[in-house]
Amino acid sequence: MQALRLARPRLPLRSASRAFAAAATSSPSAASTAAASSAQPVVPLSNVEAMWERLSADEQAVIHQQLEEIQKRDWKSLSIDEKKAAYYVAFGPHGPRAPVNPPGAKAKIALGVTGLIVSAGVLFYAIRASAPAPPRTITKEWEEASNERALELKLNPISGVASEGYSGPGFVTHK
């Protein structure tokens, strides 16, 4: 019941208060008919889930109030429809708990992401295909020739290619 109170919107009950005010000013027989009409549900509790979105805010507030009164009784004496209606009104997929994405949105998102990835791949390979050939200095033969030239010129004789006992790759980066 506490959850129902928290979930209930704080709206004035104009139609219900007008019925009670009219019943108070009229005859006792009219008061009994007004009380009977306010006790009748706006929507049958067995159909609250289907009708909730189409009800006005005042009708929703009246159903909230009716369900609060019903829940004050022993829960074992409540019907299944009354329990379902109370649960739906308190925790149903409406208001702040309404689904953010409509049905079918996940498939659209997945197709959109897949399309973007495919288009990015096509763009990447189109740019690679239209790019100029790599320069002649990025070949294994050129790098080996650079190592031989470094030995001839004795480049970096302390710890580099021209040092004694050097066994590193030198300028060769290709395998």
Side-chain angles (χ1 to χ4, degrees):
M1 188 167 102
Q2 183 66 22
L4 183 60
R5 283 187 187 152
L6 293 175
R8 180 173 46 119
R10 303 291 183 205
L11 297 172
L13 299 176
R14 292 185 189 121
S15 61
S17 61
R18 286 182 189 155
F20 290 129
T25 59
S26 63
S27 66
S29 64
S32 65
T33 58
S37 67
S38 66
Q40 292 294 327
V42 178
V43 173
L45 292 180
S46 61
N47 200 18
V48 168
E49 296 90 359
M51 298 292 293
W52 187 257
E53 295 298 325
R54 288 182 259 157
L55 295 175
S56 69
D58 290 337
E59 291 171 334
Q60 289 178 356
V62 169
I63 289 178
H64 271 290
Q65 187 178 25
Q66 178 187 1
L67 286 171
E68 272 189 27
E69 294 300 320
I70 288 173
Q71 290 179 34
K72 288 179 183 176
R73 298 186 309 205
D74 185 21
W75 276 79
K76 293 177 184 173
S77 67
L78 296 180
S79 69
I80 298 293
D81 289 336
E82 291 171 339
K83 290 178 185 177
K84 284 182 181 179
Y87 184 83
Y88 180 81
V89 169
F91 303 108
H94 54 82
R97 290 172 299 281
V100 176
N101 295 327
K106 290 181 182 177
K108 288 180 184 177
I109 291 170
L111 286 174
V113 168
T114 303
L116 287 174
I117 291 172
V118 167
S119 63
V122 167
L123 181 65
F124 173 77
Y125 284 112
I127 291 172
R128 292 265 319 210
S130 65
R136 61 188 174 107
T137 58
I138 305 182
T139 61
K140 187 170 185 177
E141 294 80 21
W142 188 278
E143 291 171 348
E144 289 172 351
S146 296
N147 274 349
E148 292 173 11
R149 180 75 175 151
L151 285 172
E152 289 173 9
L153 297 175
K154 296 183 181 171
L155 291 178
N156 199 357
I158 298 173
S159 63
V161 177
S163 64
E164 291 182 25
Y166 180 77
S167 62
F171 295 109
V172 178
T173 58
H174 287 84
K175 294 181 181 178

